[in-house]
Amino acid sequence: MEYQAGQQPQPVCVVAQHFCAPYPVEITVQKKALSLSGADFTVTDSNGNVLFKVAGKVMSLHDRRLLQDAAGNPLLTMKQKTLSMHCRWEAFRGDTSDGQNFAFAAKKSSVFQLKTALDVFLAGNKDEKVCDFHVKGSYFDRSCTVYQGDRILAEMKRKHTVANVLLGKDTFVVVVQAGVDYAFIVALIIILDEINKEGTEED
């Protein structure tokens, strides 16, 4: 999908319209080093205000994550599909994994891969022959880019600070383009982290 100069890109809305800002949004994703549920994340804007919280479901441990807004309202439940060769995760609206609330799925582009690559399919894409979005990069360098066709939707890079190193925290800076649902981008980053963590544990 190519965009000509001066052409207004179509908005990308997956979670909710109010997460599609008319300007680029820079957000910071901070991951706690130790958590009972595997990893908890806090997402803030450029002023340090909390946008989202991501918590693990303690009862189910590693296979489920809940994306909440700043007030603690559930937005997406992300769940790993068991017995999947491609490390498939599925996202559902709200605090449920009911099929009627299915929003999207993300999985490894191939079973064996050295570089990070995820294919993302929206709920309406039933046959999943062509992905709606693609994530690629180097998770070892903690950097990745989210694409819709040839269009760049968001870019993530690791933020190196002395405090992060001392406290054992992973912090990522993500720039989300105008009109792109930044709650959706955060959900993709959480799934990406989970899939790569699984790969590290298997090595």
Side-chain angles (χ1 to χ4, degrees), residues 14-16 18-19 51-53 65-78 91-96 101 103-104 181-184 186-187:
V14 177
V15 180
H18 60 271
F19 296 125
L51 297 174
F52 307 107
K53 302 170 187 175
R65 293 284 173 267
L66 180 66
L67 178 66
Q68 304 166 304
D69 65 14
N73 299 308
L75 300 174
L76 284 177
T77 295
M78 295 163 280
F92 303 84
R93 302 181 192 284
D95 187 7
T96 178
N101 295 311
F104 67 89
D181 186 334
Y182 53 88
F184 170 58
V186 168

Side-chain angles (χ1 to χ4, degrees), residues 83-88 108 110-112:
L83 303 177
S84 172
M85 289 181 64
H86 288 260
C87 295
R88 180 186 177 96
K108 281 185 179 181
S110 63
V111 179
F112 303 105

Side-chain angles (χ1 to χ4, degrees), residues 10-160:
Q10 289 292 317
V12 174
C13 180
V14 177
V15 180
Q17 186 64 48
H18 60 271
F19 296 125
C20 301
Y23 47 82
V25 174
E26 181 178 299
I27 57 180
T28 299
V29 181
Q30 188 170 78
K31 172 185 172 182
K32 292 181 182 178
L34 295 172
S35 166
L36 286 174
S37 55
D40 291 346
F41 299 79
T42 302
V43 183
T44 55
D45 63 15
S46 56
N47 296 317
N49 301 310
V50 174
L51 297 174
F52 307 107
K53 302 170 187 175
V54 181
K57 298 280 189 124
V58 176
M59 294 301 291
S60 58
L61 295 177
H62 297 293
D63 68 346
R64 190 176 293 213
R65 293 284 173 267
L66 180 66
L67 178 66
Q68 304 166 304
D69 65 14
N73 299 308
L75 300 174
L76 284 177
T77 295
M78 295 163 280
K79 183 179 180 182
Q80 183 180 17
K81 188 171 183 179
T82 56
L83 303 177
S84 172
M85 289 181 64
H86 288 260
C87 295
R88 180 186 177 96
W89 278 70
E90 296 180 337
F92 303 84
R93 302 181 192 284
D95 187 7
T96 178
S97 56
D98 186 288
Q100 292 184 338
N101 295 311
F102 178 61
F104 67 89
K107 66 179 183 179
K108 281 185 179 181
S109 300
S110 63
V111 179
F112 303 105
Q113 57 184 39
L114 297 175
K115 292 280 188 177
T116 296
L118 297 182
D119 291 334
V120 183
F121 306 92
L122 294 177
N125 188 349
K126 301 295 185 183
D127 56 13
E128 297 189 358
K129 290 182 179 178
V130 179
C131 64
D132 296 288
F133 307 98
H134 187 65
V135 183
K136 62 182 180 180
S138 169
Y139 199 76
F140 179 77
D141 296 326
R142 299 297 197 270
S143 65
C144 72
T145 304
V146 181
Y147 294 90
Q148 181 187 42
D150 296 328
R151 175 188 175 191
I152 293 177
L153 302 183
E155 295 178 275
M156 179 189 87
K157 293 183 179 179
R158 190 174 194 176
K159 184 176 183 180
H160 295 278

Side-chain angles (χ1 to χ4, degrees), residues 152-193:
I152 293 177
L153 302 183
E155 295 178 275
M156 179 189 87
K157 293 183 179 179
R158 190 174 194 176
K159 184 176 183 180
H160 295 278
T161 67
V162 174
N164 289 340
V165 173
L166 292 176
L167 296 174
K169 292 182 178 180
D170 258 346
T171 303
F172 313 106
V173 176
V174 186
V175 177
V176 183
Q177 296 305 311
V180 176
D181 186 334
Y182 53 88
F184 170 58
I185 299 298
V186 168
L188 290 182
I189 290 170
I190 303 309
I191 292 173
L192 183 69
D193 181 79

